[in-house]
Amino acid sequence: MKNLVKALKRCAVAGAAALAVVSLQPVSNAQAAPAPVVGGTRAAQGEFPFMVRLSMGCGGSLLTQQIVLTAAHCVSGSGNNTSITATAGVVDLQNTSGRVQVRSTKVLQAPGYNGTGKDWALIKLASPITTQATLKIATTTQYNTGTFTVAGWGSASEGGAQQRYLLKATVPFVSDATCRSYSGYSGLVASEEICAGFTAGGVDTCQGDSGGPMFRRDAAGAWIQVGIVSWGIGCARPNAPGVYSEVSTFASAITAAAATL
């Protein structure tokens, strides 16, 4: 039951768009990620130009103009894959003005991914999205504390519908020790995952937000990605933070893998 709840927390349910505190992983996956915006507000057009919506019901970010970084649990494996459509350039998914949609050509799921940790994947697009900015990834733990921004089109409440508009929210860092002390979080892989959320709940990622970025400003004031929406217990519940893949841990592997696509 715990894994099922986690899966529902971050994965998208068909026909629903979640930005809440549940996992962003597909419901078929055993482990799910938190959706970014239960308790969130609508993002402005162009505010986060690196955000991508994926047709399987997950989020992602533009690592390069032709490669999307998302969660491993959002894809079924590695290899040629033309079944995924990436949507970028708009906060309103129904707005055709400025919207860019590109099909996938290849998918690379994190080597060794088995449902616990290593929750990252890359999707190569058929053509580059040249009109949108990319999001650099953290290569050290320097930015793995403080307050983070999350965003997505996932559920805005646990079990709710997926959203038409991109929502955003801010969540504070939660230490590994504190995160592990909560019910259902003893399996946290501290070396590969990072927690964020409020003790009282109310703000979180949710179903449909899986694979989306958790990011903050770096020393130069630029956005930098520190996490990937992975899983959580429900959405925005008290004492149940969102869990994100720790990007800095996998930065070298992600960069090397991207070079092979």
Side-chain angles (χ1 to χ4, degrees):
M1 175 60 77
K2 178 178 73 174
N3 284 342
L4 175 59
V5 172
K6 289 168 71 173
L8 290 176
K9 175 176 183 178
R10 300 298 179 258
C11 298
V13 177
L19 274 185
V21 152
V22 295
S23 123
L24 299 185
Q25 305 175 0
V27 284
S28 60
N29 195 286
Q31 187 180 13
V37 215
V38 171
T41 58
R42 192 178 296 184
Q45 177 62 37
E47 187 173 4
F48 307 123
F50 43 78
M51 291 295 303
V52 175
R53 179 66 173 173
L54 299 171
S55 57
M56 83 286 279
C58 282
S61 58
L62 287 174
L63 176 68
T64 72
Q65 291 183 320
Q66 199 167 356
I67 296 177
V68 175
L69 175 61
T70 187
H73 73 257
C74 288
V75 300
S76 58
S78 299
N80 294 333
N81 187 326
T82 60
S83 69
I84 302 168
T85 298
T87 299
V90 290
V91 295
D92 176 1
L93 294 176
Q94 296 182 24
N95 180 7
T96 59
S97 177
R99 185 177 69 186
V100 179
Q101 293 187 307
V102 184
R103 301 285 286 190
S104 62
T105 59
K106 295 182 180 180
V107 171
L108 192 154
Q109 189 179 58
Y113 174 71
N114 63 4
T116 300
K118 297 180 178 62
D119 197 8
W120 64 269
L122 300 175
I123 298 172
K124 185 175 183 179
L125 305 177
S127 59
I129 299 178
T130 59
T131 58
Q132 301 303 307
T134 58
L135 178 60
K136 66 180 179 179
I137 59 174
T139 58
T140 72
T141 60
Q142 177 181 1
Y143 299 110
N144 286 3
T145 58
T147 300
F148 310 112
T149 297
V150 290
W153 289 270
S155 304
S157 61
E158 186 171 332
Q162 301 285 293
Q163 301 298 298
R164 169 180 171 177
Y165 297 97
L166 179 67
L167 299 182
K168 64 177 181 178
T170 56
V171 287
F173 169 75
V174 175
S175 71
D176 292 339
T178 298
C179 195
R180 278 178 162 168
S181 72
Y182 296 132
S183 176
Y185 289 81
S186 60
L188 177 77
V189 184
S191 62
E192 300 182 359
E193 297 175 325
I194 182 171
C195 299
F198 293 95
T199 303
V203 180
D204 196 2
T205 50
C206 203
Q207 293 104 345
D209 288 326
S210 285
M214 179 172 75
F215 47 100
R216 54 161 289 176
R217 297 288 187 180
D218 66 10
W223 290 119
I224 188 167
Q225 183 170 353
V226 298
I228 301 169
V229 178
S230 184
W231 61 273
I233 305 299
C235 294
R237 298 181 186 180
N239 302 317
V243 181
Y244 303 79
S245 292
E246 192 169 311
V247 168
S248 60
T249 298
F250 304 107
S252 294
I254 290 170
T255 301
T260 69
L261 291 178

